[in-house]
């Protein structure tokens, strides 16, 4: 054993810090065995490709712009053709490029609002669970109040009061209404972690509450928070679609809900299946695939659900 | 006639990518009315042996080789029907932490009587309860507590009820897996006393599994010391306690604290504790000493050649090649 | 009493009562549980004091009160003659650097998400005592002290990669990295195999010898206390029933509960020179009607049906160092 200096050791220690990657790898091994999870992941990959591909059509020809690109030759809704793979809408815009843009919007809305609600929910849950007492009561009652509010209805009323909401306001509103369930789950996890002796051990060494929450409790609840994020994504996409369909979406963006609203408003509901079906199917599939990914992650995170038992 | 005869038993656990041998070439036999204690650290395979005797191994475990014969019949070739006839009626088991598995909404004596009624359907409930009361008396549950619910019992009382439940069908063999772990010190003393008394009174054969050699020494005629899935030394109580031969047994005895002032000379183990579970497939390894990583009397010989059983007396044997000259010390 | 005038820790009539939370739906009102009843103790500098008792005796509660994981409901705790019963803020943080604890379950007392280096160096970071390079040196030193060699090999390991004995040694390393004056060791070996336990005992014993650390060693086994401790206190249902030098307690126990603890040891652990005391009743007697009685009355074979049922015994001094709370003692 060669004698190493303290600094050398430390850098060696830093560089060998692949624990996270290793855990990811072993998690992936479990995930891979789950059929639902694989299907969900493949579907998500397709949607991601769609979202990424949404920038291409307008570059090819301005008439393919999902919002402003109107085919000069067509001013009404037509079925699929070589020129327009999925047909056009009532003023001659390309449905395929609208569908691609819709995927991008769905990802933006879903992931960003889920992320925001997870951040808020996790912090509130950890603080409430760790602090206990009055802080816990106040935070959890606030969560209850928000939780019982019908999200869609409140956003509708807000939209009616303040006029059209931009997509980012909608994202923010969804996030604001969806954190309480996360907070509850994280709080109960924190309550059980708080009683684990390693938290006592941290207290005995003099760690502050801040340190205990963010250094000791957070790494242990993060996997759960991530799992909840996939479920939050599902609900955020559905809420945005519902809002847009009801005519309260952001008029400046093309989302799948918005496309459905156009079908409905222009009376093509039963005349143009080529227009109605693609956004409808996409909404169902993307929520389904996030859900399937979530279920598979659940199995990775909860060792009790794993099929094999480890040796004691 | 030998009641239980286990020969060359190996049990493996299937993991995702490999098979792990938890019990490796274990042989022992038990005469009626005798008690055999298995002692070893956690992961040494002692619980797995206990489970395998009743064919209660978890799904991912399987018997790789060897046989278990109970009253001359191979337990692993019995039909489900005849297995059911043996379980509890002839072989009963006290599981680790069984006292937490009592049904909270049923009176304790009824639960115990029910175990009897299941195996003797023709018996009347009154007779079953009478038999339960009799047994409760001998395990030391006072009469006014017989019909209590589990939550009204202390840990020691629950454990007494569990012992009664195991004995209710008058089995020939009782397997007790760590029956006193997690109990209060004083209660542990009482339970051991009960087990000892009952064993003598009913002349029941017993396999007693524990990590604590002093507890095993308290109730067992014979002791088998396990390490890394193997029995590394077996013999009568006095042989193991007074003339231990295997370095691990000696270490175990030296580290077991007692009230007398003998000198505590045991070098601390600093080596990493790895490789006590060996992977299957490399047949070369099969008869290597499982203690090789931690042995302080290790020689080059130990790592190079397979170990053999050394017979020290008609009852005392040790799985170590390095003994001969050593015993004279 | 001829003791040194300055014990490291002095406990004066310390009490702890657990009051059940009144919750909706619980029909029967449960009684408050007295976990500790006016316990007084001195722990001298450099000694290992063994606190022995059965489960539910309050021994862990006493340990947790001493390291201020819980608040007491009466009585005082002095650390080097400074009253630390109600300290908070900076004073509490300074206290934390001097008093540490080793927990019972090494599988639970280490954060599974932190490396061994992060776990052991955390106290140094919290108390901002050193630069990064001295931190590494210190961590290496304490890990070597508890028997990891070469210590660097373990820096980036995670708890789940270690055995129970190794984890407990990491927990000891974390406890000693700040050079505390006093460590509470709460049944540090009850989850470990005999050979690993022995190693832990040796480490604690070395720490006391070489670094003059004072220990409160909590255990349920008189054999372990006998091996490791200078003095022993026996606790039963929150009451300190006997205290004195270890040899004295083992050889000449005065309280019937101490005798029962000695009897309960498996015969292999018994001292052949000692007799069987047989102080335990086969089945417990009923509680006396009065509000004052000896806590061990229900199980004591030697109890006097009048005196023991109507008075609470106080500590009686049997010698300068040995005392017991029993009317029959002495």
């Amino acid at each position: 054993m060669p004698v190493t200096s303290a600094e050398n050791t430390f850098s060696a220690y830093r560089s060998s810090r692949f624990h996270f990657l290793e855990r990811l790898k072993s998690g992936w091994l479990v995930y891979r065995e789950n059929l639902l999870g694989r299907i969900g992941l493949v579907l998500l990959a397709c949607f991601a490709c769609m979202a990424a591909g949404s920038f291409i059509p307008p570059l090819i020809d301005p008439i393919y712009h999902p919002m402003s690109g109107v085919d000069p030759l067509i001013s009404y809704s037509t079925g699929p053709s070589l020129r327009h793979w999925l047909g056009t809408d009532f003023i001659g815009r390309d449905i395929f490029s609208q569908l691609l843009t819709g995927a991008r919007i769905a990802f933006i809305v879903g992931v960003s609002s889920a992320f925001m609600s997870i951040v808020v929910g996790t912090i509130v849950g950890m603080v409430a669970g760790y602090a206990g007492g009055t802080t816990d009561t106040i935070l959890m009652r606030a969560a209850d109040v928000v939780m019982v509010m019908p999200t869609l209805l409140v956003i509708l009323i807000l939209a009616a009061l303040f006029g059209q909401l931009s997509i980012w306001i909608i994202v923010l509103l969804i996030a604001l209404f969806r954190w309480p369930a996360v907070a509850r789950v994280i709080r109960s996890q924190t309550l059980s972690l708080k009683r684990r002796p390693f938290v006592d051990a941290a207290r005995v060494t003099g760690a502050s509450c801040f340190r205990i929450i963010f250094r000791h409790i957070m790494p242990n609840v993060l996997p759960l928070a991530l799992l909840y994020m996939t479920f939050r994504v599902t609900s955020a996409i559905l809420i945005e679609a519902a809002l847009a369909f009801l005519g309260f979406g952001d008029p400046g963006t093309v989302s799948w809900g918005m496309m459905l609203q156009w079908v409905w408003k222009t009376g093509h509901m039963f005349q143009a299946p080529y227009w109605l079906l693609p956004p409808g199917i996409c909404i169902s599939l993307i929520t389904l695939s996030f859900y399937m990914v979530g279920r598979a992650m659940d199995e990775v995170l909860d060792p009790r659900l794993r099929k094999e038992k480890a040796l004691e | 006639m030998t009641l239980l005869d286990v020969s060359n038993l190996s049990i493996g656990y299937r993991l995702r990518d490999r098979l792990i041998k938890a019990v490796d070439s274990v042989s022992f036999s038990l005469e009626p009315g005798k008690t055999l204690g298995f002692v070893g650290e956690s992961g040494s395979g002692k619980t797995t042996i206990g489970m395998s005797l009743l064919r209660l191994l978890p799904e991912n475990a399987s018997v790789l080789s060897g046989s278990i014969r109970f009253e001359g019949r191979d337990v692993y070739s019995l039909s489900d029907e005849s297995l059911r006839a043996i379980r509890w009626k002839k072989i009963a088991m006290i599981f680790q932490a069984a006292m937490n598995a009592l049904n909270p909404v049923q009176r304790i004596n009824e639960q115990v009587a029910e175990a009897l009624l299941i195996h003797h359907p023709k018996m009347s409930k009154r007779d079953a309860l009478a038999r339960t009361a009799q047994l409760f008396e001998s395990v030391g549950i006072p009469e006014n507590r017989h019909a209590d619910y589990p939550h009204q019992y202390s840990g020691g009382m629950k454990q007494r009820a569990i012992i009664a439940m195991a004995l209710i069908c008058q089995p020939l063999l009782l397997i007790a897996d760590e029956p006193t772990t997690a109990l209060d010190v004083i209660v542990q003393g009482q339970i051991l006393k009960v087990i000892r008394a009952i064993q003598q009174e009913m002349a029941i054969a017993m396999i007693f599994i524990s990590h604590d050699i002093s507890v095993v020494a308290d109730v067992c005629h014979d002791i088998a010391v396990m390490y890394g899935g193997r029995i590394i030394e077996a013999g009568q109580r006095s042989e193991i306690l007074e003339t231990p031969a295997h370095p691990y047994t000696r270490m175990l005895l030296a580290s077991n604290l007692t009230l007398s002032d003998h000198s505590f000379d045991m070098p601390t183990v600093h080596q990493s504790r790895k490789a006590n579970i060996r992977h299957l497939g490399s047949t070369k390894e099969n008869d290597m000493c499982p203690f090789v990583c931690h042995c302080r009397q290790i020689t080059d010989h130990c790592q190079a050649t397979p170990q053999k059983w050394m017979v020290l007396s008609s009852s005392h044997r040790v799985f170590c090649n390095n003994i001969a000259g050593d015993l004279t010390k | 009493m001829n003791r040194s005038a300055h014990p490291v820790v002095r406990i004066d009539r310390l009490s702890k009562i657990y009051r059940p939370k009144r919750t909706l739906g619980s029909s029967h009102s449960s009684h408050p549980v007295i976990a500790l009843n006016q316990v007084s103790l001195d722990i001298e500098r450099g000694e290992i004091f063994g606190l022995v008792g059965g489960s539910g005796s309050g021994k862990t509660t006493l340990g947790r009160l001493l390291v201020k994981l819980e608040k007491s409901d009466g009585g005082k705790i002095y650390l080097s003659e400074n009253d630390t019963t109600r300290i908070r803020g900076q004073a509490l943080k300074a206290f934390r650097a001097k008093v540490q604890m080793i927990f019972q379950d090494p599988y639970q007392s280490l954060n599974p998400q932190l490396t061994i280096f992060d776990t052991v160096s955390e106290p140094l970071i919290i108390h901002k005592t050193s630069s990064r390079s001295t931190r590494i040196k210190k961590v290496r030193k304490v890990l070597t002290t508890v028997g990891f060699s070469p210590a660097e090999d373990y820096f980036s390991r995670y708890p789940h990669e270690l055995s129970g004995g190794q984890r407990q040694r990491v927990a000891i390393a974390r406890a000693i990295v700040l050079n505390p004056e006093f460590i509470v060791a709460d049944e540090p070996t009850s989850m470990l195999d005999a050979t690993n336990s022995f190693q832990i005992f040796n480490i604690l014993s070395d720490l006391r010898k070489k670094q003059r650390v004072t220990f409160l060693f909590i255990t349920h086994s008189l054999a372990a206390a006998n091996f490791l401790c200078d003095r022993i206190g026996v606790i039963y249902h929150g009451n300190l029933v006997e205290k004195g030098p270890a040899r004295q307690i083992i050889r000449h126990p005065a309280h019937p509960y101490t005798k029962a603890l000695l009897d309960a040891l498996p015969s292999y652990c018994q001292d052949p020179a000692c007799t069987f005391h047989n102080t335990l009743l086969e089945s417990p007697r009923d509680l006396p009607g009065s509000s004052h009685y000896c806590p061990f009355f229900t199980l004591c074979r030697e109890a006097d049906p009048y005196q023991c049922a109507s008075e609470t015994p106080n500590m009686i001094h049997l010698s300068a160092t040995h005392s017991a709370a029993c009317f029959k003692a002495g």
Side-chain angles (χ1 to χ4, degrees), chain A residues 274-291:
Chain A
Y274 54 85
W275 188 6
L276 172 73
L277 288 181
I281 291 171
C282 280
I283 290 172
S284 315
L285 276 185
I286 198 169
T287 52
L288 186 70
S289 56
F290 269 113
Y291 180 75

Side-chain angles (χ1 to χ4, degrees), chain B residues 41-42 184-186 189-190 214 218 241 251 253-261 264 266 268-270 272-273, chain C residues 54-55 193-196 198-199 201-202 220 223-224 226-227 247 251 257 260 262 264-269 271 280:
Chain B
E41 55 190 42
S42 52
D184 180 81
V185 223
I186 285 190
Q190 292 171 331
S214 58
D218 230 21
L241 296 184
M251 196 167 112
L253 283 169
S255 56
N256 187 61
L257 300 173
T258 69
L259 290 183
S260 51
D261 319 82
F264 301 99
M266 196 191 72
T268 52
V269 200
H270 282 344
S272 79
R273 303 200 137 263
Chain C
S55 53
D193 297 311
T195 48
N196 285 327
F198 197 86
Q199 196 181 5
F201 290 149
N202 281 337
H220 60 262
N226 173 48
F227 171 62
R247 290 276 73 195
R251 284 286 159 83
Y257 179 66
L262 286 167
L265 285 169
S267 53
Y268 179 72
C269 301
D271 188 345
L280 210 59

Side-chain angles (χ1 to χ4, degrees), chain B residues 13 26 30 32 42 45 48 51 54 71 78 99 112 128 169 178 195 210 226 229 235 241 244 250-252 274 329:
Chain B
Y13 282 87
V26 162
L30 188 62
S42 52
T48 308
M51 291 296 201
L54 272 173
E71 292 188 310
L78 288 177
M99 57 183 189
V112 175
C169 296
E178 305 262 7
I195 290 179
S210 176
M226 293 200 66
L241 296 184
R250 291 176 176 196
M251 196 167 112
L252 199 64
K274 249 198 230 158
K329 273 191 206 166

Side-chain angles (χ1 to χ4, degrees), chain C residues 12-33:
Chain C
D12 187 22
R13 280 168 292 153
L14 194 67
S15 296
K16 175 77 188 174
I17 299 163
Y18 287 109
R19 290 185 180 78
K21 259 189 195 170
R22 282 276 168 81
T23 45
L24 269 170
S26 68
S27 50
H28 58 93
S29 62
S30 31
H31 297 288
V33 178

Side-chain angles (χ1 to χ4, degrees), chain C residues 236-310:
Chain C
Y236 178 76
H237 276 212
N239 295 275
L240 196 69
V241 295
E242 183 164 3
K243 65 179 172 185
R247 290 276 73 195
Q248 191 77 16
I249 300 255
I250 304 290
R251 284 286 159 83
H252 308 288
H255 196 279
Y257 179 66
T258 315
K259 293 175 184 169
L261 279 176
L262 286 167
D263 286 352
L265 285 169
S267 53
Y268 179 72
C269 301
Q270 305 265 0
D271 188 345
C274 286
T275 46
F276 190 64
H277 305 286
N278 196 20
T279 54
L280 210 59
L281 280 177
E282 286 299 323
S283 53
R285 18 173 121 83
D286 293 329
L287 277 175
S290 64
S291 57
H292 293 280
Y293 49 87
C294 172
F296 194 55
F297 178 75
T298 55
L299 286 174
C300 185
R301 189 188 287 279
E302 296 166 351
D304 180 322
Y306 302 105
Q307 194 182 20
C308 297
S310 57

Side-chain angles (χ1 to χ4, degrees), chain A residues 61-243:
Chain A
D61 193 326
I63 64 162
Y64 289 127
H65 191 278
M67 206 69 202
S68 56
V70 179
D71 193 321
L73 304 178
I74 308 169
S75 58
Y76 51 89
S77 175
T78 58
S81 62
L82 260 185
R83 196 174 156 82
H84 299 287
W85 292 353
L86 286 178
T88 59
D89 70 354
F90 62 109
I91 47 172
R93 291 180 298 190
D94 186 64
I95 292 179
F96 184 65
S97 80
Q98 285 183 347
L99 202 68
L100 294 186
T101 314
R104 194 173 77 216
I105 299 298
F107 268 106
I108 288 174
V109 170
V111 174
S112 53
S113 76
F115 182 74
M116 279 190 261
S117 59
I118 288 302
V119 169
V120 175
T122 304
I123 291 175
V124 170
M126 287 192 307
V127 170
Y130 185 73
T134 328
T135 321
D136 183 28
T137 312
I138 292 171
L139 286 173
M140 282 302 111
R141 287 305 83 79
D144 289 342
V145 168
V146 178
M147 190 141 69
V148 296
M149 277 197 236
T151 314
L152 197 59
L153 200 66
V154 177
I155 298 180
L156 282 180
I157 292 169
L158 286 175
L161 284 176
F162 299 105
Q164 297 293 5
L165 302 172
S166 93
I167 195 76
W168 289 108
I169 302 282
I170 291 173
V171 164
L172 205 67
L173 283 174
I174 295 175
L176 274 182
F177 281 101
R178 305 306 287 182
W179 63 265
V182 183
R184 283 221 159 268
V185 172
I186 298 296
R187 171 179 172 268
S188 65
Q189 180 85 351
T190 307
L191 282 178
S192 85
L193 283 169
K194 183 167 90 163
R195 289 194 203 96
R196 295 268 292 276
F198 71 80
V199 172
D200 279 340
R203 279 172 65 199
V204 170
T205 52
S208 60
C209 294
F210 188 81
R211 189 177 180 87
I212 290 174
I213 288 178
F214 288 97
R215 180 93 172 138
H216 291 278
I217 289 178
M218 197 168 79
N220 287 290
V221 299
L222 267 190
L224 193 69
L226 264 168
L227 168 69
Y228 264 75
M229 190 164 143
T230 59
F231 294 129
R232 289 301 95 172
V233 170
T234 310
S235 78
I237 291 174
L238 284 178
I239 290 174
E240 193 279 332
L243 269 180

